[in-house]
């Protein structure tokens, strides 16, 4: 009888230990969730038309219209269609490498992700954004709130923001808010994802990304996706040499 | 029933006039079917006032007289740049025409030039063949490009200004790869020089051959280029550019012509407050030593003998630039300043500027050019002490 009791105690201790180290509900796989977010935001390769709108504190606004092509996780090219002063400019991003081509200057020059080719709150990394999973690792997932809260850490020093805090809806796996932070947790800007729209062919995502920043008080910038379509491109379209000819892939 | 009809009409009108909640503003997307023809460009006015250094050797050289020159002159410069294009299938044509009417010292001047005019064939995404007048803009330096073997020299006041090209036949062949070598592109060029074609390039009677190989290797842009053929001394070189961090870029050029090697190294740094700093060093292997330059100025004093009149004729220069976009809390207001220092004689030029984009297509720019240096120094002997310019440019 004493032997049986010892076995019961051991089994109970083991069960308690197992419950203590493993939650009853399986934890969310952060990396898989981030990949889902990326695929909900855009097809793996696509073309899009988007507006960039800078609103000044006095209410005056300026608007840019861009054609954008993206291939894979780390290649994005964009062509300015308006206004006339920027028409024909193109930007290219391959991983952490970025270039700007200005027709007057006649050659592509390297730019950095923290600069902004349009001014306002959006920088080049925001305008030519890659898949989040290409640039960030998931440090943790907080499931306690209404939305999943992902704490993302930059994979390299070349990424624009050291950390992101991303709130993701549980059902649609779409971001609703992203806070961009420095390594010391200083807030650089906040991105708000709004106006979910069906772009066709299964692409249903927020069409508007608004941003504000404590560094640009009174200013807001918006990025409004007008069209987004899955499409493949020749690999040469994402090279520095091709930049002056980017218009030729628009159809 | 007329009252009901009126109310119904008002109701329908209000229903149609009120945008649905959440409806996005309309946007005019350029037609997906692109028009084969395109036209664009800008119109600009550039009034300028110049305070001349009446003692400067280069002023006397230019005036070619011993009479006292005006201490102050006014200029009214203007420019119309017209860019036209045609594209159909894998064939396209481009032309850039520049008209420069101006007024200075009681004289009206005018100049019309075809800066570019070329045909472009693109039989495949990996291959482009261009024939005609065009710029290539090789090199990575901000204002100095010894690697730009087939281009004219940039303006230090506006390095992004369009340049007049040369007439040649060229091709771009692009290959992409996975791994550390991501892109390889090859650009061969044939540039003939005769008494009627490309006369400004060099000695006539030769077909010059040039080429460039570009690679994106380990996230670094690297170009190797050469020029040979007879119109200019044969030369070769390379350049590179790389982002070290998300706010720091480095670049450089190295070129060799017989008995001379030139070097440009520089960086661009963006601070947390969005201020950009650019610093370039230029070691000009074909430049003149201070003693040679002094001898040149003495020759001018003696008999107005010309010869050394090119931009940056000496050996060691440093360039610095800072620019602050959205300055003073005003979006589209950019404050900037550039300086070129001749490290051999200590003379320098300062270029403070203010730019404002008043509307989406109207740019305003105020620029000063202040040139300082002792007697028989490069910038000390320039004809203008101070030049103030206002530019209004409208894009269409």
């Amino acid at each position: 009888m004493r032997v049986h009791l010892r076995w019961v105690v051991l089994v109970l201790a083991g069960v308690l230990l197992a419950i203590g180290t493993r939650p009853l509900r399986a934890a969310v796989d952060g990396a898989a969730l981030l990949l889902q977010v990326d695929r909900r935001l855009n097809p793996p390769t696509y073309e899009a038309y988007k507006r960039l709108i800078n609103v000044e504190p006095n209410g005056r606004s300026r608007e840019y219209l861009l054609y954008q092509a993206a291939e894979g996780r780390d290649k994005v090219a964009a062509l300015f269609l308006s206004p006339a002063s920027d028409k024909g400019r193109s930007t290219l991003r391959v991983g952490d490498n970025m270039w700007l081509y200005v027709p007057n200057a006649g050659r592509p020059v390297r730019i950095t992700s923290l600069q902004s080719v349009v001014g306002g709150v959006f920088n080049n990394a925001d305008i030519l954004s890659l898949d989040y999973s290409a640039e960030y690792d998931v440090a943790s997932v907080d499931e306690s709130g209404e939305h999943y809260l992902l704490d993302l850490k930059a994979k390299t020093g070349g990424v624009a923001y050291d950390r992101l805090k991303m709130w993701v809806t549980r059902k649609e796996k779409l971001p609703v808010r992203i806070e961009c932070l420095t390594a010391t947790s200083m807030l650089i800007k906040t991105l708000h994802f709004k106006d979910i729209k069906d772009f066709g062919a299964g692409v249903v995502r927020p069409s508007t990304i608004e941003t504000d920043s404590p560094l640009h008080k009174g200013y807001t910038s918006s990025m409004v996706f007008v069209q987004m379509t899955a499409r493949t491109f020749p690999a040469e379209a994402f090279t520095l040499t091709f930049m002056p000819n980017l218009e030729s892939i628009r159809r | 029933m007329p009252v009901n009809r009126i109310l119904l009409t008002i109701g329908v009108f209000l229903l149609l006039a009120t945008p649905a909640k959440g409806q996005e503003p309309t946007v005019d997307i350029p037609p997906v079917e692109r028009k084969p023809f395109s036209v664009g460009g800008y119109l600009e006015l550039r009034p300028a006032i110049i305070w001349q250094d009446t003692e400067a050797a280069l002023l006397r050289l230019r005036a070619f007289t011993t009479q006292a020159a005006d201490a102050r002159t006014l200029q009214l410069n203007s420019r119309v740049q017209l860019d036209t294009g045609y594209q159909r299938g894998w064939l396209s044509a481009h032309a850039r025409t520049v008209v420069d009417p101006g007024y200075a010292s009681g004289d009206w001047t005018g100049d019309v030039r075809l800066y570019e005019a070329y045909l472009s064939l693109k039989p495949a995404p990996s291959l482009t063949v261009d024939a005609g007048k065009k710029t290539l803009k090789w090199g990575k330096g901000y204002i100095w490009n010894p690697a730009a073997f087939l281009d004219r020299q940039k303006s230090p006041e506006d390095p992004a200004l369009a340049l007049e090209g040369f007439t040649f036949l060229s091709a771009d062949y692009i290959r992409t790869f996975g791994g550390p070598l991501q892109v390889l592109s090859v650009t061969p060029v044939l540039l003939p020089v005769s008494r009627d074609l490309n006369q400004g390039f060099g000695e006539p009677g030769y077909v010059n051959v040039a080429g460039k190989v570009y690679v994106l290797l380990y996230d670094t842009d690297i170009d190797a280029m050469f020029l040979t053929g007879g119109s200019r001394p044969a030369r070769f070189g390379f350049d590179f550019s790389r982002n070290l961090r998300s706010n720091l870029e480095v670049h450089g050029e190295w070129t060799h012509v017989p008995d001379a090697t030139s070097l440009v190294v520089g960086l661009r740094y963006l601070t947390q407050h969005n201020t950009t700093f650019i610093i370039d060093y230029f070691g000009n292997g074909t430049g003149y030593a201070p003693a040679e330059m002094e001898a040149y100025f003495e020759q001018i004093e003696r008999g107005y003998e010309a010869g050394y009149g090119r931009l940056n004729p000496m050996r060691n220069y440093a360039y610095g630039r800072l620019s602050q976009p959205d300055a003073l809390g005003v979006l589209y207001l950019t404050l900037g300043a550039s300086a070129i220092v001749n490290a051999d004689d200590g003379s320098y030029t300062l270029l403070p500027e203010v730019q404002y984009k008043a509307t989406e297509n109207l740019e305003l720019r105020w620029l000063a050019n202040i040139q300082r240096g002792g007697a028989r120094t490069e910038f000390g002997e320039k004809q203008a002490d101070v030049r103030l310019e206002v530019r209004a440019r409208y894009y269409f």
Side-chain angles (χ1 to χ4, degrees):
Chain A
M1 190 65 190
R2 286 172 63 189
V3 174
H4 286 169
L5 185 63
R6 190 164 26 181
W7 275 108
V8 169
V9 170
L10 277 172
V11 169
L12 279 174
V15 170
L16 285 172
L17 200 66
I19 290 171
T21 57
R22 195 177 297 175
L24 288 172
R25 192 174 55 178
V28 169
D29 180 341
L33 177 58
L34 191 60
L35 279 171
Q36 279 183 291
V37 170
D38 283 331
R39 286 296 63 81
R40 292 303 310 273
L41 283 177
N42 48 258
T45 67
Y46 69 94
E47 66 179 356
Y49 287 90
K50 65 183 185 185
R51 296 187 299 160
L52 295 177
I53 305 157
N54 288 331
V55 183
E56 299 172 54
N58 60 13
R60 198 167 60 157
S61 67
R62 301 275 177 86
E63 187 171 325
Y64 303 83
L65 181 64
L66 283 78
Y67 169 77
Q68 180 170 307
E71 178 89 28
R73 287 161 54 83
D74 67 346
K75 295 184 180 69
V76 186
L79 174 72
F80 283 78
L81 303 176
S82 70
S85 59
D86 291 84
K87 190 177 177 185
R89 286 183 179 217
S90 60
T91 53
L92 171 67
R93 181 174 186 186
V94 178
D96 291 339
N97 305 291
M98 289 188 187
W99 298 268
L100 168 68
Y101 172 78
V102 180
N104 240 9
R107 63 166 181 162
V109 293
R110 266 191 182 255
I111 54 176
T112 55
S113 56
L114 290 178
Q115 287 176 275
S116 177
V117 292
V118 294
V121 188
F122 283 126
N123 62 28
N124 295 336
D126 301 322
I127 298 165
L128 298 172
S129 61
L130 305 177
D131 279 3
Y132 288 103
S133 56
E135 294 192 275
Y136 295 93
D137 289 321
V138 182
S140 66
V141 182
D142 182 351
E143 302 175 58
S144 61
E146 180 192 355
H147 303 301
Y148 293 123
L149 172 56
L150 280 69
D151 184 10
L152 308 180
K153 282 196 164 49
K155 289 182 175 177
T156 69
V159 177
Y161 310 112
D162 295 304
R163 284 184 58 211
L164 298 181
K165 287 170 78 174
M166 176 189 282
W167 283 262
V168 175
T169 58
R170 287 175 180 271
K171 188 179 173 191
E172 295 88 0
K173 308 290 189 296
L174 284 170
V176 289
R177 187 165 103 237
I178 295 177
E179 290 181 355
C180 308
L181 308 162
T182 64
T184 56
S185 295
M186 188 182 87
L187 179 65
I188 301 172
K189 72 181 62 159
T190 306
L191 305 172
H192 306 272
F193 291 73
K194 296 176 164 181
D195 305 333
I196 291 179
K197 177 178 174 180
D198 187 345
F199 289 91
V203 181
V204 181
R205 57 156 290 164
S207 61
T208 304
I209 304 170
E210 274 183 11
T211 185
D212 50 60
S213 166
L215 306 176
H216 296 77
K217 282 184 180 158
Y219 292 96
T220 57
S221 294
S222 302
M223 192 184 300
V224 181
F225 284 86
V226 186
Q227 284 182 14
M228 182 177 281
T229 316
R231 186 188 157 188
T232 56
F233 301 93
E236 293 84 0
F238 301 95
T239 63
L240 174 145
T241 313
F242 196 86
M243 287 182 79
N245 300 310
L246 196 58
E247 171 74 26
S248 67
I249 64 167
R250 191 175 147 240
R251 63 186 187 195
Chain B
M1 297 307 281
V3 175
N4 283 351
R5 200 172 292 170
I6 290 167
L7 287 174
L8 181 67
T9 307
I10 292 172
V12 169
F13 175 78
L14 287 174
L15 197 66
L16 291 173
T18 307
K21 190 182 176 185
Q23 179 183 329
E24 68 179 41
T26 57
V27 60
D28 295 325
I29 298 180
V32 174
E33 287 295 325
R34 285 176 293 111
K35 292 175 185 170
F37 290 101
S38 64
V39 179
Y42 64 79
L43 164 69
E44 75 175 21
L45 293 173
R46 283 181 292 121
I49 183 165
I50 300 167
W51 283 267
Q52 308 213 82
D53 180 355
T54 52
E55 299 299 312
L58 290 178
L59 179 66
R60 290 201 293 281
L61 176 67
R62 185 171 174 188
F64 211 77
T65 172
T66 51
Q67 290 179 350
D70 292 338
R72 194 175 63 186
T73 61
L74 288 168
Q75 291 180 352
L76 178 60
N77 304 303
S78 61
R79 170 168 286 195
V80 179
Q81 180 174 308
L82 188 65
D83 297 317
T84 52
Y86 173 82
Q87 181 161 1
R88 173 140 294 192
W90 46 273
L91 169 73
S92 62
H94 306 268
R96 170 169 291 161
T97 309
V98 173
V99 185
D100 282 322
Y103 172 84
S105 307
D107 293 325
W108 287 94
T109 56
D111 188 31
V112 182
R113 278 176 195 271
L114 202 56
Y115 271 33
E116 293 190 320
Y118 62 93
L119 280 173
S120 191
L121 306 176
K122 186 172 267 307
S126 59
L127 180 64
T128 306
V129 179
D130 295 327
K133 192 174 184 181
K134 194 171 181 269
T135 54
L136 285 167
K137 299 279 187 80
W138 291 351
K140 303 294 186 196
Y142 193 74
I143 62 166
W144 297 300
N145 297 111
F149 294 158
L150 305 173
D151 282 306
R152 297 167 209 269
Q153 202 161 359
K154 290 177 186 172
S155 160
E157 290 187 359
D158 192 351
L161 202 63
L163 297 178
E164 185 181 355
F166 288 107
T167 302
F168 53 76
L169 176 68
S170 74
D172 280 317
Y173 177 69
I174 310 169
R175 286 289 307 271
T176 59
F177 308 91
L181 174 62
Q182 291 176 270
V183 181
L184 165 72
S185 74
V186 181
T187 306
V189 184
L190 285 177
L191 189 151
V193 179
S194 69
R195 298 202 184 281
D196 302 317
L197 188 67
N198 295 325
Q199 20 337 23
F201 184 79
E203 202 172 325
Y206 296 97
V207 176
N208 300 276
V209 180
K212 179 167 76 81
V213 175
Y214 161 77
V215 292
L216 176 58
L217 180 67
Y218 287 106
D219 292 328
T220 307
D221 294 319
I222 301 170
D223 295 288
M225 61 282 286
F226 75 93
L227 167 67
T228 186
S231 294
R232 291 181 178 180
R235 58 197 67 194
F236 63 93
F238 75 89
D239 65 34
F240 77 95
S241 176
R242 179 184 171 86
N243 289 0
L244 293 182
R245 292 192 60 80
S246 55
N247 60 346
L248 177 63
E249 180 262 358
V250 293
H251 53 262
E253 294 181 29
W254 180 92
T255 58
H256 181 79
V257 294
D259 304 321
T261 298
S262 295
L263 174 75
V264 172
V265 286
L267 59 86
R268 193 176 64 242
Y269 176 68
L270 183 73
T271 69
Q272 266 194 335
H273 300 288
N274 210 22
T275 307
T276 298
F277 289 89
I278 297 171
I279 297 169
D280 275 12
Y281 164 76
F282 179 30
N284 184 4
T286 59
Y288 298 109
E292 291 173 303
M293 208 64 195
E294 281 184 30
Y296 162 59
F297 290 127
E298 281 171 14
Q299 283 180 341
I300 294 174
E301 297 291 343
R302 283 205 298 269
Y304 302 114
E305 294 290 334
Y308 289 34
R310 60 178 156 140
L311 280 172
N312 311 124
M314 292 180 71
R315 290 185 176 167
N316 293 287
Y317 292 91
Y319 174 79
R321 175 176 173 78
L322 64 88
S323 68
Q324 177 66 58
D326 305 344
L328 309 173
V330 180
L331 197 58
Y332 308 114
L333 175 69
T334 302
L335 302 181
S338 311
I340 301 171
V341 179
N342 183 324
D344 293 317
D345 64 18
S347 64
Y348 59 89
T349 177
L350 282 176
L351 300 152
E353 63 179 278
V354 180
Q355 285 189 61
Y356 182 60
K357 200 167 176 184
T359 69
E360 281 172 339
N361 289 318
L362 178 62
E363 278 180 6
L364 304 174
R365 182 195 195 206
W366 174 90
L367 175 76
N369 188 342
I370 303 159
Q371 304 190 96
R372 288 283 182 274
R376 297 189 181 161
T377 61
E378 181 188 352
F379 293 107
E381 295 292 356
K382 294 277 189 189
Q383 65 186 69
D385 271 346
V386 178
R387 183 173 190 274
L388 294 181
E389 178 184 284
V390 178
R391 183 180 84 184
R393 179 182 285 183
Y394 179 75
Y395 292 88
F396 54 87

